[in-house]
Amino acid sequence: MIIPPGFASFSEYSDQFLKNVAVDNVILGYHEKELKVLLQQPYTLEKWTVTGGYIKKTESIEDAASRIAFDRTGIKGLYLKQFGSFGNPQRVIDNGFTPQYIKKITGFDLPADSWIFDYFVSVAFYTLTEFSKVESTKGELEADSRWWPVNELPPMMFDHGHIINEALSALRLHIAHFPIGYELLPEKFTLPEIHSLYETILGKSLDDRNFTKKLLLTKIVTKLDETRKIGRHRSPFLYKFDKERYQEGLKSGVALVF
Amino acid sequence: MIIPPGFASFSEYSDQFLKNVAVDNVILGYHEKELKVLLQQPYTLEKWTVTGGYIKKTESIEDAASRIAFDRTGIKGLYLKQFGSFGNPQRVIDNGFTPQYIKKITGFDLPADSWIFDYFVSVAFYTLTEFSKVESTKGELEADSRWWPVNELPPMMFDHGHIINEALSALRLHIAHFPIGYELLPEKFTLPEIHSLYETILGKSLDDRNFTKKLLLTKIVTKLDETRKIGRHRSPFLYKFDKERYQEGLKSGVALVF
DNA sequence: ATTAATTCCGTATTTTTAACGGAATTAATA
DNA sequence: TATTAATTCCGTTAAAAATACGGAATTAAT
């Protein structure tokens, strides 16, 4: 727990938060046919973490997750999905928190029996966002922070590698029951683009004709009259999401079994 | 947080636990074609809660859930499934904890800014168990504790009514992907029995011929050569679970879509 | 005019799911 | 001992969904 400037004591800052419980957000983005995750490298440590933070006593865990996701991405109203909580004593062994270490990074002396040295339960959410939207606010992100391809992760702190894998499992399960893509694609997109998105997330190839058939059957995307001119080949038509049907699908479920 | 006898101070007892986070177990049992949930009525309050408890600093959240489930049921090795975490400021308003109240029930004076007066995030699990196994240990359960039909719940503390509903939703989703019943049926059971169990959990009637077909296709149950003599009608054959296939199904999933 | 890259479309086959009726067994009882 | 009431148990057909697959059209570069 890093103390921002302007606080006279550790507790003056930390008292606004719940103890021994925190939120982690696995922020996923899609770029160049690859799923990426936004990681940060805090406090000059050599390991990376998913984005996360503490829960204010006055907010719900969902509100905390939203607030933190907004802080890291600058995007309001991200779709956050809780997929599990993680907690075991090994977490505190791995993080290297000691009174000396806390003294060094925060300047405050804390007793060895402070709750800060007990393990934290992490309530984990994942979210999907369009890669480019976040990159534009990259300058505002704190410390070291960058996108990593989900299958080429750097050395991760604690169990964060595991948490990312669980997020991906949850996403793959989720995708079978709910529409996906609104958050990950530009407003107008082509069929091959959304096709490739699904292939990337599911990690397998999907027959293009069957994919199109099923997708259009759900009516969550509608064809536009425009095409996009790219490359020396036929120009693909553009599509967009039918926002109402999409929202409806999020609530009540849409079967899209691939 | 009730202090057992023999502790000199609140912190002497509470220091073994993580703060502001706890575990709740929705213990489900099946009896007479009805799903029931084990609830307790703590501290002479008039509202009921699902079983739950605090997490020791030395144990994982899963271990805490197991320990607590064992305490309440006397059954070792219950299958516990995490299905979500719940936390918002309303929880603390609802529980009625005040320094005066804590003084009354524990005998200790606590400062108003103690973490005990902040809300607790609940990591929730559900478990399935054979009703009769637990009932036999009922005498050992603490305080008021009894089974309630899941659709005739008494007044519930906090959001515990909501948590139970979420547990049931999770269970109904779960049942489509994993085998169920080993924990809820006696060792040997009849087809009508397991059929009725599935109907009860899913809350709808399932065609018996199709049900049997699908169930046997999974190979998780095997037919025995015995029958059970009950009533003035044809004696049903007995079946049992193939434990190996069942375990395998729990790990890798079994499609049983009804 | 040719070529390379890519979009786009439809039908046939297989598999899965859903719907459905009637004969067999048991024990009570008339 | 014949009848009745309650329940188990079985198999086929129709409908729906998923899968497999080939070839023509467009574009821009050469």
Side-chain angles (χ1 to χ4, degrees):
Chain A
M1 181 172 271
I2 285 303
I3 312 294
F7 286 90
S9 69
F10 177 77
S11 72
E12 189 193 334
Y13 173 71
S14 69
D15 276 0
Q16 64 184 309
F17 298 113
L18 296 183
K19 305 181 200 306
N20 294 311
V21 58
V23 159
D24 280 316
N25 287 334
V26 179
I27 298 178
L28 297 170
Y30 176 73
H31 190 57
E32 285 171 358
K33 304 199 176 185
E34 206 171 35
L35 258 191
K36 308 209 176 195
V37 56
L38 188 65
L39 299 181
Q40 48 193 34
Q41 194 180 27
Y43 330 142
T44 74
L45 288 179
E46 77 284 2
K47 297 204 173 169
W48 292 74
T49 67
V50 301
T51 65
Y54 299 98
I55 303 164
K56 293 183 184 172
K57 295 173 178 178
T58 53
E59 70 189 355
S60 68
I61 53 180
E62 289 78 16
D63 288 344
S66 288
R67 172 177 54 76
I68 293 162
F70 174 71
D71 283 353
R72 300 296 187 284
T73 64
I75 305 173
K76 273 209 169 18
L78 274 177
Y79 174 72
L80 286 158
K81 180 88 182 165
Q82 191 192 314
F83 67 92
S85 294
F86 302 85
N88 67 69
Q90 189 62 33
R91 300 192 110 224
V92 76
I93 295 171
D94 290 349
N95 76 6
F97 277 17
T98 61
Q100 299 77 41
Y101 179 72
I102 295 292
K103 167 85 176 172
K104 187 174 138 209
I105 60 170
T106 72
F108 294 114
D109 274 312
L110 296 188
D113 64 352
S114 166
W115 51 270
I116 195 91
F117 302 119
D118 299 320
Y119 82 81
F120 271 64
V121 170
S122 157
V123 182
F125 296 77
Y126 74 79
T127 185
L128 298 168
T129 181
E130 193 190 336
F131 181 88
S132 60
K133 280 191 196 159
V134 175
E135 199 163 42
S136 68
T137 69
K138 195 177 175 182
E140 301 169 30
L141 297 178
E142 30 178 69
D144 252 338
S145 160
R146 54 164 282 210
W147 291 100
W148 290 83
V150 292
N151 35 30
E152 296 166 42
L153 296 178
M156 301 293 299
M157 183 102 82
F158 320 131
D159 48 3
H160 282 202
H162 176 235
I163 289 178
I164 292 172
N165 285 333
E166 290 292 304
L168 292 172
S169 296
L171 171 58
R172 287 181 187 126
L173 190 64
H174 185 179
I175 204 178
H177 299 286
F178 299 95
I180 247 174
Y182 182 76
E183 305 83 358
L184 287 170
L185 292 169
E187 194 192 336
K188 299 175 182 182
F189 52 88
T190 67
L191 280 184
E193 278 167 354
I194 191 171
H195 179 209
S196 156
L197 168 65
Y198 270 77
E199 287 189 329
T200 302
I201 292 178
L202 292 175
K204 62 180 182 192
S205 65
L206 306 170
D207 181 273
D208 63 338
R209 290 149 289 188
N210 296 334
F211 175 83
T212 308
K213 217 181 304 174
K214 286 185 194 175
L215 183 67
L216 295 181
L217 205 64
T218 66
K219 307 269 179 82
I220 59 173
V221 302
T222 53
K223 189 176 184 172
L224 302 174
D225 249 357
E226 320 163 49
T227 60
R228 175 188 293 159
K229 295 209 186 304
I230 35 165
R232 48 194 283 194
H233 54 75
R234 189 166 178 176
S235 302
F237 278 95
L238 289 170
Y239 289 74
K240 67 176 171 70
F241 285 100
D242 176 324
K243 204 168 176 184
E244 249 178 58
R245 282 182 182 276
Y246 191 87
Q247 295 295 343
E248 170 59 23
L250 275 185
K251 266 205 216 97
S252 54
V254 165
L256 253 181
V257 182
F258 293 111
Chain B
M1 180 171 274
I2 285 302
I3 313 294
F7 286 90
S9 70
F10 177 77
S11 72
E12 189 192 334
Y13 173 70
S14 70
D15 276 0
Q16 64 184 309
F17 299 113
L18 297 183
K19 306 182 200 303
N20 294 315
V21 58
V23 159
D24 281 316
N25 287 332
V26 179
I27 298 178
L28 297 170
Y30 175 72
H31 189 58
E32 287 172 355
K33 304 199 176 185
E34 206 171 33
L35 258 191
K36 308 207 177 198
V37 55
L38 189 64
L39 300 181
Q40 49 194 34
Q41 195 180 27
Y43 330 143
T44 74
L45 287 180
E46 76 286 0
K47 296 203 175 171
W48 292 75
T49 67
V50 301
T51 66
Y54 299 98
I55 303 164
K56 293 182 184 175
K57 296 173 178 178
T58 53
E59 69 188 359
S60 67
I61 53 181
E62 289 79 15
D63 288 345
S66 288
R67 173 177 56 75
I68 293 162
F70 175 71
D71 283 353
R72 301 296 188 284
T73 64
I75 305 173
K76 273 206 168 24
L78 273 176
Y79 173 72
L80 286 158
K81 181 88 184 166
Q82 191 192 312
F83 66 91
S85 295
F86 301 85
N88 67 70
Q90 189 62 32
R91 300 192 110 224
V92 76
I93 294 169
D94 290 349
N95 75 8
F97 277 16
T98 60
Q100 299 76 42
Y101 179 71
I102 295 292
K103 166 84 174 171
K104 189 174 136 208
I105 60 170
T106 73
F108 294 115
D109 275 311
L110 297 187
D113 65 351
S114 166
W115 51 269
I116 194 89
F117 302 119
D118 297 322
Y119 82 81
F120 272 63
V121 171
S122 158
V123 182
F125 296 77
Y126 74 78
T127 185
L128 298 168
T129 181
E130 192 190 336
F131 181 88
S132 61
K133 279 192 197 157
V134 175
E135 197 161 45
S136 70
T137 69
K138 196 178 174 183
E140 301 167 31
L141 297 177
E142 29 178 70
D144 252 339
S145 161
R146 52 163 285 208
W147 291 99
W148 290 82
V150 293
N151 35 29
E152 295 166 44
L153 296 177
M156 300 293 298
M157 184 103 82
F158 320 131
D159 48 3
H160 282 201
H162 176 237
I163 290 178
I164 292 172
N165 285 332
E166 291 292 303
L168 292 172
S169 296
L171 170 57
R172 288 183 187 126
L173 191 64
H174 185 178
I175 204 177
H177 299 286
F178 299 94
I180 248 175
Y182 182 76
E183 305 83 358
L184 288 169
L185 292 170
E187 195 194 334
K188 300 175 181 180
F189 52 88
T190 68
L191 281 183
E193 278 167 355
I194 191 172
H195 178 211
S196 156
L197 168 65
Y198 270 76
E199 286 190 331
T200 302
I201 292 178
L202 292 175
K204 64 181 178 188
S205 64
L206 306 170
D207 181 273
D208 62 339
R209 291 149 290 188
N210 296 334
F211 175 83
T212 308
K213 221 179 303 173
K214 286 186 196 173
L215 182 67
L216 295 181
L217 205 64
T218 66
K219 306 271 179 82
I220 58 173
V221 302
T222 53
K223 188 176 184 172
L224 302 175
D225 247 357
E226 320 162 49
T227 59
R228 174 189 293 159
K229 294 207 185 307
I230 34 165
R232 46 193 283 193
H233 55 75
R234 189 168 179 173
S235 301
F237 278 96
L238 289 170
Y239 289 74
K240 67 177 172 68
F241 285 101
D242 177 324
K243 204 168 177 183
E244 249 178 58
R245 282 182 180 276
Y246 192 88
Q247 295 295 342
E248 170 59 23
L250 274 185
K251 265 204 217 94
S252 54
V254 166
L256 254 180
V257 181
F258 292 111

